Amino acid sequence: MPTDAPEADGTLSWDSTTLVLATVRCGPVTGIGYTYAPAAAARIIDDLLAGIVVGSPVLDVPRLNEAMHRAVRNAGLPGVAAQAIAAVDIALWDCKARLLDLPLVDLLGTARRDVPIYGSGGFTTYDADRQDRQLRGWAEEEGIPRVKIKIGESWGQCEERDLRRVAEARASIGDEPALYVDANGAYGAKQAVRVADALADEGVTWFEEPVSSDHLALLARIRDHVTADVTAGEYGYTLPYFEHMLAAGAVDCLQADITRCGGITVWLRVAALAQSRGLDVSGHCAPHAHVHAAAAVPNLRHLEWFHDHVRMERTLFDGVLDPGGGSITPGSVAEPGLGLTLNTERARQYRVS
C-alpha cells in the first residue's frame, strides 16, 4: 500500500508498505495472521512452513511454532523467515480461538482490559504543519496522552532540525502529554548523549534507539548517561536476542514486535523474560496483531499506534479498534479470535499475488 506522503526516519526512507497475510483453515473456521515484511515472506510460508502446518492439530500452536523454527534452519531464521513464522503463528492462534468461539484475549487469559497506546509517526519528511496536525489529532481529537516523532534525520546530520522539531512537537501537544522520540540508531554515542540532554528540556521521557541496537554495550553506556528511558528491541527475531539485550543492561523498557519475533507464541516469552528482570515490555507497531497478547501480560507498558500500520489495518480489515482516550480494548465486542475480518473488496486493489 502506498504511503499517504513520502516518509523517512533517521536511517531509511520509503513510499509504500507491504503486508503479508497468512490464512489457516480448520473445518468451517479461517484464522488470519500477518506481518509487515517483504513479499519474500509469502514464498517462505508456501515453500517451508505450509507443509509443517497442513494436517496438524490446530490446537497445538506452540508445537507448530517450534516445528516451523526448525524448518527454516538452513534458510536462516533471523529476518524474513522469522516474520513468515510470525504471520502463520498469529493465524494459528486466531484460528484456535475462533474454533473455541473465544476472543483471543480470553483464551490467553486477561491481565488487563485496556491496552495503553501511543501515537507514532512524526516522520522526518514532514514539514511543521503536517507534524502539528498529526500530533494534535492524537492528543486533542483522540485523547491519546503519549506521542512519538522520528529524529536523527539523515543519519544524525540534521541535529539542529531534530531539536527544533522536538520543540515544535511539545508546543503542539502542550505540557501534559508524554513526548517520545525515536532515532532509529542514527546517532553516534556522544552525539546521542548531547541530544538527550537537550531533549530533557522538552520533557522527553522515551529515547528509542539513540544508537544502533546492534551495539548493546554502547546502548547500555548511553542508558547510564541520560535521564530518558532508553528503549530498543524492535529488530529482535529470536528469543536469545532479547536475553542478550537484557543481560547487557541496554534498555529501560524492552520493545518486541509480534510480527518479527516469531508471533504470539514467542512474544509472550519475551514479555516473561522482561518481567523476570523487573522491566516492562512495549509492543512495536502492528497494533491489531499485538493487542490481545498485550492484554495478557502484566508488565505491558504500552503499544505503538503507528501511523502507517493503523492506516493499513483500517483499510484492509473490519473489526479494528477505537483508540479514543489513549487505549484500545481487545474482545470488547466479543468477536472470536483477533476480531478481524479481511475486507476483500477494499483489499483487492492492493493485492499483488
Side-chain angles (χ1 to χ4, degrees):
M1 180 182 288
T3 58
D4 55 5
E7 295 177 355
D9 55 32
T11 55
L12 189 68
S13 61
W14 61 96
D15 58 13
S16 66
T17 301
T18 301
L19 180 148
V20 175
L21 181 77
T23 54
V24 174
R25 297 181 181 88
C26 185
V29 168
T30 298
I32 62 173
Y34 59 94
T35 181
Y36 292 98
R43 180 71 181 269
I44 291 172
I45 293 171
D46 290 339
D47 291 355
L48 298 178
L49 305 184
I52 301 294
V53 172
V54 173
S56 299
V58 74
L59 301 183
D60 298 344
V61 182
R63 183 176 69 81
L64 291 174
N65 185 281
E66 181 65 20
M68 289 190 289
H69 275 81
R70 294 178 181 180
V72 302
R73 186 198 68 183
N74 288 350
L77 174 61
V80 177
Q83 292 174 289
I85 291 171
V88 178
D89 182 87
I90 294 166
L92 287 166
W93 279 108
D94 185 45
C95 189
K96 179 175 180 177
R98 289 176 186 272
L99 280 170
L100 298 173
D101 197 29
L102 289 172
L104 180 55
V105 67
D106 291 341
L107 174 61
L108 297 174
T110 303
R112 64 180 69 232
R113 267 297 161 198
D114 297 326
V115 173
I117 59 170
Y118 66 89
S120 174
F123 303 108
T124 60
T125 45
Y126 282 1
D127 61 20
D129 180 64
R130 188 174 184 90
Q131 177 178 289
D132 178 72
R133 283 187 283 112
Q134 185 180 69
L135 298 184
R136 287 184 186 275
W138 288 324
E140 296 177 3
E141 297 172 21
E142 296 186 301
I144 300 174
R146 311 159 203 91
V147 301
K148 185 178 81 177
I149 70 167
K150 301 289 191 179
I151 60 172
E153 183 178 353
S154 300
W155 287 90
Q157 296 180 56
C158 303
E159 186 177 321
E160 183 177 337
R161 183 170 187 260
D162 290 340
L163 298 179
R164 184 171 70 251
R165 290 179 53 247
V166 171
E168 290 168 348
R170 174 55 73 192
S172 295
I173 64 175
D175 295 335
E176 291 302 318
L179 180 56
Y180 299 167
V181 298
D182 181 1
N184 288 98
Y187 293 132
K190 290 189 175 181
Q191 183 184 22
V193 174
R194 290 196 305 269
V195 169
D197 288 343
L199 296 177
D201 293 337
E202 300 295 346
V204 171
T205 55
W206 172 280
F207 197 173
E208 187 172 330
E209 266 205 301
V211 297
S212 171
S213 55
D214 289 338
H215 306 300
L216 297 181
L218 193 59
L219 199 61
R221 288 201 295 272
I222 292 169
R223 180 192 178 201
D224 288 341
H225 285 87
V226 304
T227 58
D229 282 355
V230 170
T231 69
E234 66 185 76
Y235 302 114
Y237 295 100
T238 68
L239 195 63
Y241 171 95
F242 295 100
E243 170 55 24
H244 297 326
M245 180 167 278
L246 292 168
V251 295
D252 295 291
C253 180
L254 185 65
Q255 292 178 281
D257 189 324
I258 214 164
T259 74
R260 289 177 177 168
C261 72
I264 291 168
T265 301
V266 180
W267 194 90
L268 293 172
R269 295 170 184 167
V270 173
L273 276 180
Q275 187 180 13
S276 73
R277 293 179 180 267
L279 295 181
D280 290 341
V281 65
S282 178
H284 174 263
C285 290
H288 290 90
H290 279 87
V291 62
H292 289 261
V297 299
N299 59 320
L300 178 80
R301 184 171 300 190
H302 43 42
L303 177 56
E304 185 171 16
W305 193 251
F306 182 57
H307 171 73
D308 286 1
H309 295 178
V310 169
R311 179 172 167 264
M312 291 184 72
E313 290 166 14
R314 283 172 168 168
T315 300
L316 299 177
F317 302 119
D318 294 324
V320 295
L321 299 171
D322 180 3
S327 65
I328 51 180
T329 306
S332 57
V333 292
E335 290 294 327
L338 293 172
L340 300 176
T341 304
L342 180 69
N343 187 306
T344 54
E345 186 65 29
R346 293 199 300 267
R348 184 175 293 116
Q349 64 177 305
Y350 303 108
R351 183 171 180 167
V352 295
S353 66

